[in-house]
């Protein structure tokens, strides 16, 4: 009887473990239904609280603290941690302190639910958000203790989505290990016209200036974050609908951009489309859009009409969100988040005369404009004492309006329903064990520089002169006896107001890297006494004839090489003025000296005059230690720069759109696929034939190009226009098909209605030379000849082609959405059955058949139980999986079999009395 019961139980476990068609972990829990059920149990105050992201000062969470009150009594939806609010402490305790703070915030919400009456008990996990953009201060929030990932522009300069994906994986893994579950750091702004003279300069915070590539990098980064965080991160992208063309910092003043909706669709909105309605898969899709405070002039086509800030303009924001690419995404649960409502820009817009600022009015307008989640930030009404009391007043105002205004209440319920559904996607069950991270931080935070070094190596760009000219200008690296003066752009930062001040780019960082790589201990290519480092501030003293800088003057006169390390030369900055004064006032000092500049910030700060003073100009795009090391290796010509600027550089005449156009010095490859059968047309081209194809009249043929390269040697962006031309030999009649590229190639299909010679070519301006396909078409079949002409070179030298790795991140074929698919399930079952069968074979040699079967069935049951435990995401399952793929399932199954073996041993021992002492027997 016991054996039969075991058999029935095993059958049920086996059926439960199957990956049924259309059945996934995400689909098991109907998030929308759960959200609806939970919404029905919430009070108006609890519903209103879910609409808000709040901030607080410091790191203390005591029962009498403001943040405790907002979570415990007002049920706010989430908290955003920032360095400016002193939420992080100094190193070496920065990471541990952040982990403890995030855990403490979730504990308050959990405690609130435990203290509630049983019938009103509800626990809703907090969103704990951070805008960790990458690149270090000032764009990060946590400055030390985590892997120092590169700036987005450095990733963009590699033109390699695989590196964007890997960077996202590291970011997702480390932030989720700290307990963060909302990411606010990914910018999809398009820097199409960089202008260093304006104060709104985004610098290296963007992937680049081409909408297509910004979207591709964004997709890859999002997929990496989902993988790295094991699906436990809500991903917001900013600054929707795009602030790349703004003329002032949107945090300080509401910017006005002259753009129509059509213009926005072609440029600024394109990357946001790429990660919403046009995303190829759920793993590439953003969860929400962070709406910036930008006004648009000519939005409806009338150049004299200007919108309100889009975050407060219900009509304009609604019109954008109704676009097909966003409407579908919105229907599938995408949320809209307001940018910080407590910025000076918002205050100046609502209270230009400083007569009185009402946070309640601001929050109401932002909500009614279409935002689901309101980021209040450090907001303070004119009649309130502080941020805390202002937030309380806003919450009370919303709760009162909810009770009095049915239309407003309906609008609140719609947003809360979306927000709860999204939280259920993160956590199928709302329990503290799922929300609170319990992993060893050292296992998840590797602080490895390998990925960052690879980004630095692939992004480093020779901006001037050309590669061919460099060997003439700098034929040799610095010699052992030559003197090198390093001049560095020094900026400082603090992790918190009480934390010690530190350098972003230490004054002697490049010199130290040179000594580590080429000093007396590593080849002796340089002499330490022939190196000296100084700051731009010290250079300013020298230009002002200050005696304190006399040593710098002596070193400059002695120098053979002057090497600048620059972070930011924004117009008007003191360091920018010092840099230009040096070349204007000390030209005689530069005779017979080699001047090299490494830009560790954006590459477009210098004008043509500045660049003419340089022997070599390199774009590095980020300033962490791996980028400094790559700069040292470039200086000594150990490595070749292979990156290319992802933004235009006016001072060089480098126009990104022109650089990404097809290279005219190439022959566009043409390939002929087999004829398309007329009786069974298909959208997919037939694979290439191994024998010569037969071409008959009345058939259709599919033509495709090979990969078309741009001026940087990389595939042209999707959407590049290609024209295929078919010409009939004798009649001279022709057909022309215009299409666009996808992944660098284009396709066209022609119908052959007449017999005779046919010639097919392709052009993609300015590339006008292609292979020529000649067809002799007859009713019985014809011949094919492909001719590759030799193009006449243009005056522009052809860059060395660089093969970009395949941008598609391939998932394990045995996995789907982080869990085994049917093939993975079969493999797990084979391992399980194999182990069970082996155990049975061994047992039957030494035991009777009945006990051998029982013991083997317990081993099988143990393996199935642990597998299903992971599949149903029971407590601790996510921590065990942690993005490790199929190996985590196989290890768990084997561990479960071991438990089953132990259970079988215990059962038999008790059944046979083997556990009793000999005397008792």
């Amino acid at each position: 009887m016991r054996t039969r019961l075991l058999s029935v139980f095993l059958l049920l476990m086996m059926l439960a473990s199957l990956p049924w068609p259309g059945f996934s972990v995400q689909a098991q829990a109907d998030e929308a239904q759960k959200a609806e059920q939970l919404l029905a149990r919430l009070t108006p105050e609890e519903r209103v609280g879910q609409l808000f992201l709040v901030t607080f000062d410091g790191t203390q969470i005591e029962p009498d603290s403001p943040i405790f009150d907002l979570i415990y009594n007002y049920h706010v939806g989430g908290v955003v941690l920032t360095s400016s609010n002193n939420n992080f402490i100094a190193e070496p305790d920065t990471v541990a302190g952040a982990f403890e703070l995030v855990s403490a915030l979730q504990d308050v919400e959990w405690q609130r639910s435990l203290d509630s009456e049983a019938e009103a008990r509800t626990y809703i996990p907090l969103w704990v958000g951070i805008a960790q953009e990458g690149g270090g201060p000032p764009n990060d929030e946590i400055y030390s203790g985590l892997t120092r990932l590169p700036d987005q522009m450095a990733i963009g300069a590699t033109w390699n989505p695989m590196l964007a994906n890997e960077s996202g994986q590291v970011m997702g893994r480390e932030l989720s290990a700290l307990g963060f579950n909302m990411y606010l750091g990914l910018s999809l702004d398009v820097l199409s016209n960089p202008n260093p003279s304006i104060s709104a300069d985004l610098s290296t915070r963007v992937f680049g200036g081409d909408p297509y590539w910004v979207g591709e990098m964004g997709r890859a980064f999002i997929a990496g974050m989902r993988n790295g965080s094991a699906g436990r991160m809500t991903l917001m992208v900013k600054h929707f609908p795009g602030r790349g063309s703004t003329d002032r910092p949107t945090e300080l003043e509401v910017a006005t951009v002259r753009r129509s909706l059509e213009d926005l669709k072609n440029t600024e909105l394109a990357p946001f489309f790429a990660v919403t309605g046009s995303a190829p898969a759920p793993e590439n899709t953003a969860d929400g859009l962070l709406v910036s405070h930008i006004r648009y002039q000519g939005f409806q086509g009338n150049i004299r009409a200007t919108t309100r800030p889009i975050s407060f303009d219900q009509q304009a924001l609604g019109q954008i969100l109704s676009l097909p690419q966003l409407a579908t995404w919105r229907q599938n649960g995408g949320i809209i988040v307001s940018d910080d409502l407590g910025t000076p820009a918002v205050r100046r817009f609502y209270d230009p005369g400083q007569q009185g600022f009402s946070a309640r009015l601001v929050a109401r307008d932002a909500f009614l404009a279409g935002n689901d989640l309101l980021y209040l930030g450090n907001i303070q009404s004119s009649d309130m004492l502080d941020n805390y009391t202002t937030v309380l007043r806003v919450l009370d105002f919303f709760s009162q309006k909810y009770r009095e205004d049915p239309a407003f209440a309906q609008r609140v319920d719609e947003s809360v329903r979306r927000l709860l559904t999204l939280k259920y996607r993160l956590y199928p069950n709302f329990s503290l064990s799922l929300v609170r991270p319990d992993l060893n931080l050292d296992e998840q935070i590797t602080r490895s520089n390998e990925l960052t070094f690879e980004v630095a190596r692939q992004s480093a760009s020779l901006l001037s002169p050309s590669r061919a000219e460099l060997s003439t200008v700098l034929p040799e690296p610095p010699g052992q006896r030559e003197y090198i003066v390093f001049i560095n752009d020094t900026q400082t930062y603090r992790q918190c107001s009480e934390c010690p001040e530190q350098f972003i780019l230490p004054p002697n960082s490049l010199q130290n890297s040179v000594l580590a790589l080429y000093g007396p201990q590593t080849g002796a290519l340089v002499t330490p006494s022939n190196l000296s480092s100084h700051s731009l501030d010290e250079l300013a003293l020298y230009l002002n004839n200050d005696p304190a800088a006399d040593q710098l003057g002596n070193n400059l006169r002695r120098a053979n090489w002057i090497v600048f390390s620059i972070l930011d030369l924004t117009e008007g900055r003191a360091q920018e003025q010092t840099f230009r004064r040096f070349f204007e006032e000390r030209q005689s000092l530069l005779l017979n000296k080699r001047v090299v500049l490494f830009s560790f910030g954006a590459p477009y700060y210098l004008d043509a005059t500045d660049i003419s003073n340089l022997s070599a100009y390199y774009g590095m795009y980020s300033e962490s230690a791996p980028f400094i090391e790559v700069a040292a290796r470039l200086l000594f010509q150990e490595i070749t720069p292979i990156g290319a600027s992802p933004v235009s550089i006016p001072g060089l005449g480098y126009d990104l759109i022109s650089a990404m156009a097809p290279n005219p010095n190439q022959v566009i490859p043409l390939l002929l696929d087999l004829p398309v059968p007329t009786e069974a047309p298909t959208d997919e081209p037939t694979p290439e034939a191994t024998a010569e194809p037969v071409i008959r009249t009345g058939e259709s043929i599919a033509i495709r190009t090979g990969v078309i390269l741009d001026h940087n040697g990389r595939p042209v962006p999707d959407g590049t226009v290609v024209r295929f031309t078919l010409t009939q030999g004798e009649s001279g009649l022709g057909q022309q098909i215009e299409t666009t590229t996808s992944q660098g190639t284009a396709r066209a299909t022609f119908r052959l209605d007449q017999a005779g010679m046919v010639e097919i070519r392709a052009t993609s301006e300015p590339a006008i030379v292609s292979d020529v396909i000649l067809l002799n078409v007859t009713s019985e079949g014809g011949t094919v000849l492909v001719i590759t002409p030799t193009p006449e070179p243009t005056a522009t030298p052809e860059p060395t082609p660089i093969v970009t790795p395949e941008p598609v991140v391939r998932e394990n074929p045995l996995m789907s959405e982080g869990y085994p698919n049917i093939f993975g399930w079969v493999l797990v079952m084979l391992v399980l059955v194999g182990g069970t069968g082996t155990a049975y074979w061994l047992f039957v040699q030494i035991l009777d058949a009945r006990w051998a079967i029982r013991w083997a069935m317990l081993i099988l049951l143990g393996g199935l139980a642990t597998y299903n435990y992971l599949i149903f995401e029971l407590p601790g399952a996510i921590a065990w999986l942690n993005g490790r793929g199929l190996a985590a399932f196989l290890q768990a199954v084997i561990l479960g079999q071991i438990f089953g073996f132990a259970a079988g041993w215990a059962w038999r021992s008790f059944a046979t009395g083997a556990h009793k002492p000999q005397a008792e027997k």
Side-chain angles (χ1 to χ4, degrees):
M1 182 67 181
R2 294 172 181 172
T3 305
R4 291 176 184 172
L5 288 174
L6 270 176
S7 301
V8 172
F9 192 54
L10 278 171
L11 179 60
L12 293 174
M13 292 286 286
M14 184 75 74
L15 291 172
S17 71
L18 273 168
W20 297 98
F23 180 85
S24 67
V25 176
Q26 297 292 337
Q28 286 178 33
D30 185 348
E31 300 96 351
Q33 183 178 1
K34 285 185 175 183
E36 193 67 47
Q37 293 171 351
L38 179 56
L39 178 66
R41 304 207 314 266
L42 298 181
T43 66
E45 288 75 15
E46 289 174 328
R47 298 182 188 197
V48 164
Q50 288 298 304
L51 300 175
F52 294 95
L53 289 174
V54 300
T55 59
F56 68 100
D57 291 325
T59 59
Q60 298 302 312
I61 306 177
E62 304 296 338
D64 60 347
S65 64
I67 189 60
F68 188 98
D69 183 44
L70 289 172
I71 297 172
Y72 192 92
N73 294 316
Y74 288 88
H75 209 44
V76 293
V79 180
V80 178
L81 302 184
T82 68
S83 59
S84 60
N85 284 329
N86 297 312
N87 296 139
F88 306 108
I89 58 179
E91 58 180 330
D93 301 319
T94 310
V95 166
F99 175 84
E100 293 171 2
L101 180 60
V102 173
S103 299
L105 290 169
Q106 296 289 6
D107 288 345
V108 174
E109 172 63 20
W110 178 253
Q111 186 61 45
R112 190 204 71 85
S113 68
L114 295 180
D115 293 344
S116 303
E117 297 293 334
E119 62 274 7
R121 185 168 295 165
T122 55
Y123 167 64
I124 303 176
L126 283 173
W127 266 313
V128 183
I130 188 171
Q132 187 85 353
E133 296 183 9
N139 300 329
D140 280 343
E141 299 295 342
I142 298 176
Y143 297 155
S144 61
L146 300 177
T147 299
R148 186 74 174 274
L149 291 171
D151 290 88
Q152 285 186 210
M153 188 174 287
I155 299 172
T158 68
W159 301 87
N160 186 348
M162 287 287 286
L163 292 176
N165 180 274
E166 292 175 24
S167 298
Q169 288 189 50
V170 175
M171 183 76 79
R173 182 177 67 248
E174 295 189 347
L175 291 182
S176 63
L178 294 180
F180 290 101
N181 56 14
M182 175 176 280
Y183 183 64
L184 303 165
L186 183 59
S187 167
L188 293 185
D189 298 297
V190 178
L191 196 58
S192 52
N193 295 300
N195 186 351
S197 66
I198 60 175
S199 56
D201 178 39
L202 287 167
S203 188
T204 55
R205 297 173 62 192
V206 299
F207 284 122
D210 179 76
Y212 166 75
W213 275 105
V214 171
E216 288 295 293
M217 292 295 186
R219 284 174 174 175
F221 191 91
I222 288 172
M225 284 209 70
R226 293 212 184 280
N227 186 13
S229 66
R232 291 294 185 259
M233 188 73 70
T234 301
L235 302 175
M236 306 296 170
V237 293
K238 61 184 182 183
H239 303 85
F240 183 81
R243 56 168 282 193
S245 301
T246 56
D247 60 351
R248 65 201 70 183
T250 55
E251 299 86 358
L252 301 178
E253 188 176 352
V254 172
T256 300
V257 177
R258 186 173 293 182
R259 281 279 197 276
S260 68
L261 180 57
E262 288 303 313
D263 294 333
L264 288 174
K265 286 160 59 177
N266 293 330
T267 305
E268 279 87 349
L269 285 172
F272 295 100
F273 292 161
V275 299
T276 52
S278 299
E283 58 265 25
N284 304 110
T285 306
D287 296 306
L289 301 174
L290 188 74
V291 184
S292 192
H293 309 308
I294 304 173
R295 305 176 74 183
Y296 291 98
Q297 184 178 6
F299 182 78
Q300 298 284 7
N302 181 0
I303 197 61
R304 293 177 176 80
T306 303
T307 69
R308 300 186 74 205
I310 205 76
S311 48
F312 302 107
D313 193 318
Q314 182 177 6
Q315 181 179 357
L317 181 58
Q319 193 170 348
I320 294 176
L321 294 178
S322 66
L323 294 172
Q325 297 90 333
L326 295 174
T328 303
W329 168 81
R330 187 90 164 115
Q331 291 168 4
N332 292 331
I335 66 171
I336 306 300
V337 185
S338 77
D339 206 344
D340 187 348
L341 298 178
T343 61
V346 175
R347 178 176 290 274
R348 288 175 181 171
F349 178 78
Y350 272 87
D351 183 24
Q354 299 183 353
Q355 301 298 312
F357 176 73
S358 172
R360 290 172 294 173
L361 178 62
V362 170
R364 185 205 64 184
D365 288 354
F367 181 66
L368 294 179
N371 294 284
D372 299 303
L373 191 60
L374 305 179
Y375 178 15
L376 292 180
N378 295 327
I379 196 169
Q380 183 176 345
S381 293
S382 300
D383 58 345
M384 294 289 106
L385 294 176
D386 52 27
N387 170 259
Y388 166 60
T389 53
T390 300
V391 172
L392 293 183
R393 182 67 65 88
V394 170
L395 291 167
D396 290 340
F397 170 73
F398 267 64
S399 298
Q400 180 180 354
K401 193 166 181 60
Y402 184 96
R403 296 179 184 279
E404 296 174 351
D405 186 343
F408 185 82
Q410 183 179 4
R411 173 73 181 83
V412 170
D413 288 347
E414 289 175 1
S415 289
V416 175
R417 191 177 290 111
R418 284 195 188 96
L419 298 173
L420 293 177
T421 300
L422 186 52
K423 286 188 175 182
Y424 272 119
R425 288 180 190 170
L426 290 185
Y427 309 111
N429 299 295
F430 287 174
S431 65
L432 190 62
S433 60
L434 278 181
V435 177
R436 200 173 191 269
D438 56 359
L439 297 177
N440 185 337
L441 291 180
D442 290 334
E443 294 179 1
Q444 300 304 311
I445 301 175
T446 60
R447 305 176 185 87
S448 171
N449 281 332
E450 292 181 7
L451 171 61
T452 306
F453 180 84
E454 187 58 23
V455 173
R457 187 187 68 82
Q458 292 195 31
S459 64
S461 312
L462 176 62
L463 304 177
S464 176
S466 68
R467 194 172 300 173
E469 296 170 334
L470 182 65
S471 59
T472 302
V473 178
L474 297 177
E476 298 290 340
Q480 184 181 26
R481 298 181 180 275
E482 291 187 302
Y483 197 93
I484 309 174
V485 173
F486 297 95
I487 300 178
N488 302 301
D489 184 359
T490 54
Q491 296 183 34
T492 59
Y493 69 94
R494 296 178 188 270
Q495 178 64 77
C496 62
S497 59
E498 301 300 322
C499 297
E501 191 173 68
Q502 295 178 281
F503 287 106
I504 294 178
L505 187 66
N508 56 352
S509 54
L510 187 52
Q511 176 181 333
N512 290 344
S513 186
V514 167
L515 284 173
L517 293 169
Y518 308 108
Q521 307 301 319
T522 50
L525 297 182
V526 296
T527 304
S529 60
N530 287 347
L531 308 179
S532 66
S533 293
H534 308 271
S535 68
L536 281 174
D537 294 335
E538 193 175 351
L539 183 62
L541 295 177
Y542 166 71
L543 294 175
N544 293 331
N545 299 314
D546 191 313
D550 285 347
Q551 185 59 50
L552 171 56
N554 294 333
N555 292 340
L556 287 171
R557 284 186 287 272
R558 179 186 173 192
N560 305 101
W561 294 72
I562 302 176
V563 180
F564 286 90
S565 296
I566 298 299
L567 287 171
D568 178 7
L569 290 181
T570 303
E571 192 170 304
R573 187 167 172 255
Q575 287 81 354
E576 176 261 341
Q577 296 173 6
T578 298
F579 177 81
R580 291 194 162 94
R581 279 185 61 198
F582 175 69
F583 289 102
E584 292 169 0
E585 300 175 11
R586 297 293 193 273
Q587 272 292 329
S588 60
L589 193 65
L590 302 177
L591 292 175
N592 301 319
K593 289 180 172 55
R594 287 158 184 171
V595 183
V596 178
L597 187 144
F598 292 101
S599 175
F600 291 96
Y604 47 76
Y605 293 123
L606 305 186
D607 59 29
T609 302
D610 299 326
I611 296 171
S612 67
N613 292 312
L614 305 176
S615 305
Y617 177 27
Y618 292 94
M620 303 305 297
Y621 314 102
S622 203
E623 71 279 353
S624 61
F627 286 86
I628 296 169
E629 179 184 338
V630 168
R633 294 180 185 275
L634 288 169
L635 180 63
F636 281 79
Q637 301 180 13
E638 181 183 333
I639 61 177
T640 301
I642 61 175
S645 173
V647 292
S648 298
I649 307 176
L652 286 171
Y654 175 80
D655 178 68
L656 183 65
I657 301 303
S658 299
M660 298 180 67
N663 190 333
N665 293 334
Q666 67 182 308
V667 176
I668 299 174
L670 284 185
L671 301 149
L672 173 67
D673 291 326
L674 282 175
V676 180
T678 55
E679 66 276 8
T682 176
D683 293 333
E684 294 295 326
T686 308
E688 287 186 58
T690 54
E692 182 176 290
V694 178
I695 310 298
R696 299 183 177 89
T697 54
E699 293 181 333
S700 296
I701 56 170
I703 306 293
R704 57 188 170 92
T705 69
V707 175
I708 303 174
L709 302 177
D710 66 13
H711 287 74
N712 290 321
R714 294 175 171 84
V716 294
D718 283 10
T720 300
V721 175
V722 178
R723 292 182 181 85
F724 292 87
T725 303
L726 179 148
T727 306
Q728 296 282 351
E730 295 181 1
S731 65
L733 298 176
Q735 303 178 47
Q736 189 174 88
I737 295 177
E738 185 174 291
T739 184
T740 57
T741 57
S742 175
Q743 300 295 317
T745 66
R747 300 173 184 270
T749 301
F750 291 99
R751 180 176 175 80
L752 305 175
D753 294 322
Q754 299 180 14
M757 290 297 299
V758 172
E759 179 181 288
I760 301 174
R761 301 173 183 266
T763 62
S764 184
E765 294 183 357
I768 59 174
V769 180
S770 75
D771 289 344
V772 180
I773 296 180
L774 298 177
L775 307 175
N776 184 16
V777 183
T778 67
S779 57
E780 290 80 21
T783 59
V784 178
L785 179 64
V786 179
I787 301 174
T788 302
T790 302
E792 295 185 8
T794 66
T796 305
E798 183 176 0
T800 304
I802 299 165
V803 178
T804 302
E806 175 62 44
V808 178
V809 181
R810 287 181 166 77
E811 189 176 345
N812 187 330
L814 302 177
M815 303 289 287
S816 176
E817 298 183 2
Y819 291 84
N821 55 24
I822 185 63
F823 303 106
W825 178 84
V826 168
L827 177 60
V828 173
M829 292 302 110
L830 286 175
V831 172
L832 183 58
V833 173
T836 304
T838 302
Y840 173 76
W841 181 82
L842 292 173
F843 294 153
V844 82
Q845 309 297 321
I846 56 176
L847 304 171
D848 61 79
R850 183 184 60 172
W851 274 110
I853 292 173
R854 288 177 178 175
W855 210 330
M857 291 177 72
L858 281 173
I859 291 174
L860 181 61
L861 179 61
L864 280 171
T866 53
Y867 179 82
N868 286 333
Y869 192 94
L870 297 182
I871 283 293
F872 289 103
E873 291 188 347
L874 296 177
I878 297 301
W880 173 271
L881 294 174
N882 193 34
R884 291 188 295 142
L886 193 62
F889 288 92
L890 293 173
Q891 292 168 5
V893 164
I894 294 171
L895 188 62
Q897 290 180 302
I898 294 173
F899 289 151
F901 174 86
W905 179 84
W907 184 11
R908 187 174 184 279
S909 296
F910 276 92
T912 60
H915 67 290
K916 297 179 180 179
Q918 188 67 31
E920 189 177 338
K921 294 180 183 179

